[in-house]
Amino acid sequence: MRAIVIGGTGHIGTYLVPRLVRLGFEVVNISRSKRDPYHLHGAWKEVTQVQIDRRSEETAGTFGKKIRDLKPEIVIDLICFTLESARNLAESVRGETQHLLHCGTIWVHGPSVQVPTTEEAPRRPFGEYGIRKAAVEEYLLRETRLGRVPATILHPGHIVGPGWEPLNPAGHFNPEVFARIARGEELLLPNLGLETVHHVHADDVAQGFERAIANRSAAIGESFHVVSPAALTLRGYAEAIAAWFGQKPVLRFADWHNWKKTVSQEEAAATWDHIAHSPNCSIAKARWALDYCPRYSSLEAVYESVGWMIEHKMITV
């Protein structure tokens, strides 16, 4: 079976493409450059690489046709961020593909009301990213109900894995936070540190896509959370990282107004996005419908990423 993966050398595709090859799929990877995946794997030798700049091709009105011309039986779109992009692709492969899988985000939910949040919770997204992704989800599920495109949406949490910096206990991406904890230094957290973040290892997201393909009849027309089994509070996250480094946590807290003055504007914006969402999502639906079984807890996924940063001297212990 021929599977087209759009954006296959990114975080998720690094793990997903080898999974598909092992399962016997004929895999075509679409990317705008010839960059290597985060981790090399022998399976990539069997992958057909096609270089397409999605943005420029969409502007020219030719992207969807180029995907259709590749004769896809399965299309996995890992880099769709707007309704216009989703519509262009869906209309182009209508009647040509057996399954269109879209990578969404748990931020389609906005602030939680009851946790853990299920896929059936009303959508109340805020911020450009969440609002756009929610619009794509609504469109694709409607197209499926109308019998036009057999689509599935998978919503990852904060993706982590070796090769890039994980979301840290302060709610942003500066690796110095991990270094401070490793050295036993004080870490200032916003509010009481009780807001939540919900990580997932990139390979577990890849597993979610694999399971959705394998359980096509249960997956089509549905959305699924693909996250770790449990979210973390910022405080609990910091304490666990300190213990991992053999340190006692040295934490102090400040209200948001004062805390944001202690970091850069970029870091403050990232933290606000994460604590305002405070995601805590259920994977019960993915477990029973897809047999999704994440290998990593949130902390196990982060430990692997932090170990990679130490190895590459991105943080000084």
Side-chain angles (χ1 to χ4, degrees):
M1 184 169 282
R2 189 173 178 83
I4 309 299
V5 183
I6 304 172
T9 53
H11 296 159
I12 302 167
T14 288
Y15 295 94
L16 176 58
V17 168
R19 281 176 173 267
L20 296 175
V21 172
R22 287 198 299 269
L23 290 172
F25 285 90
E26 178 189 357
V27 181
V28 178
N29 174 52
I30 307 296
S31 61
R32 66 181 178 182
S33 63
K34 295 182 179 179
R35 59 155 291 174
D36 291 328
Y38 284 88
H39 302 284
L40 294 178
H41 189 288
W44 285 92
K45 296 177 182 178
E46 301 178 41
V47 176
T48 300
Q49 301 286 351
V50 177
Q51 192 171 352
I52 300 176
D53 187 316
R54 182 173 194 162
R55 181 175 296 180
S56 62
E57 295 292 344
E58 285 182 338
T59 299
T62 56
F63 179 75
K65 181 180 183 302
K66 288 195 171 186
I67 299 300
R68 184 180 67 244
D69 288 347
L70 291 170
K71 307 297 182 184
E73 293 173 274
I74 294 174
V75 177
I76 303 169
D77 193 351
L78 301 176
I79 54 169
C80 175
F81 303 110
T82 68
L83 178 58
E84 293 75 17
S85 289
R87 182 179 290 117
N88 175 271
L89 179 62
E91 290 179 352
S92 297
V93 301
R94 185 179 294 165
E96 299 292 330
T97 187
Q98 298 178 22
H99 202 174
L100 171 61
L101 297 100
H102 168 81
C103 185
T105 172
I106 57 174
W107 279 15
V108 297
H109 290 292
S112 301
V113 175
Q114 180 173 300
V115 294
T117 304
T118 68
E119 290 86 346
E120 288 67 40
R123 302 295 188 257
R124 301 189 301 154
F126 63 89
E128 184 179 31
Y129 183 60
I131 290 171
R132 285 184 172 184
K133 282 292 199 176
V136 171
E137 176 188 39
E138 181 182 11
Y139 165 73
L140 289 176
L141 294 183
R142 184 174 64 249
E143 289 294 287
T144 302
R145 288 193 299 271
L146 293 173
R148 295 171 178 166
V149 178
T152 299
I153 296 88
L154 287 93
H155 294 307
H158 313 313
I159 301 174
V160 293
W164 61 96
E165 298 90 341
L167 179 69
N168 64 45
H172 56 75
F173 295 93
N174 188 340
E176 179 60 21
V177 167
F178 293 105
R180 291 183 63 83
I181 295 174
R183 295 192 294 263
E185 298 174 4
E186 179 182 273
L187 177 64
L188 185 67
L189 293 179
N191 303 320
L192 297 176
L194 297 179
E195 292 90 348
T196 56
V197 289
H198 208 156
H199 295 82
V200 62
H201 195 286
D203 189 46
D204 282 331
V205 182
Q207 179 203 144
F209 278 92
E210 179 188 325
R211 295 285 195 266
I213 293 169
N215 295 278
R216 178 178 178 273
S217 61
I220 287 177
E222 300 289 344
S223 296
F224 300 94
H225 296 150
V226 280
V227 291
S228 74
L232 300 170
T233 64
L234 297 186
R235 179 175 190 151
Y237 184 8
E239 291 171 345
I241 292 295
W244 189 66
F245 280 114
Q247 299 284 1
K248 290 185 177 181
V250 184
L251 304 179
R252 191 161 60 86
F253 305 91
D255 63 83
W256 171 255
H257 178 73
N258 288 304
W259 183 88
K260 69 179 182 180
K261 298 175 184 178
T262 68
V263 297
S264 69
Q265 289 185 348
E266 180 182 5
E267 290 165 359
T271 296
W272 176 253
D273 267 345
H274 288 100
I275 67 174
H277 284 89
S278 283
N280 178 354
C281 293
S282 169
I283 58 171
K285 180 180 177 182
R287 280 192 187 277
W288 64 257
L290 306 181
D291 194 28
Y292 171 66
C293 185
R295 175 184 173 190
Y296 294 84
S297 69
S298 286
L299 288 171
E300 288 168 342
V302 170
Y303 294 157
E304 188 172 286
S305 295
V306 174
W308 177 86
M309 289 197 296
I310 294 172
E311 180 183 346
H312 288 78
K313 303 186 186 306
M314 297 176 64
I315 61 176
T316 303
V317 177

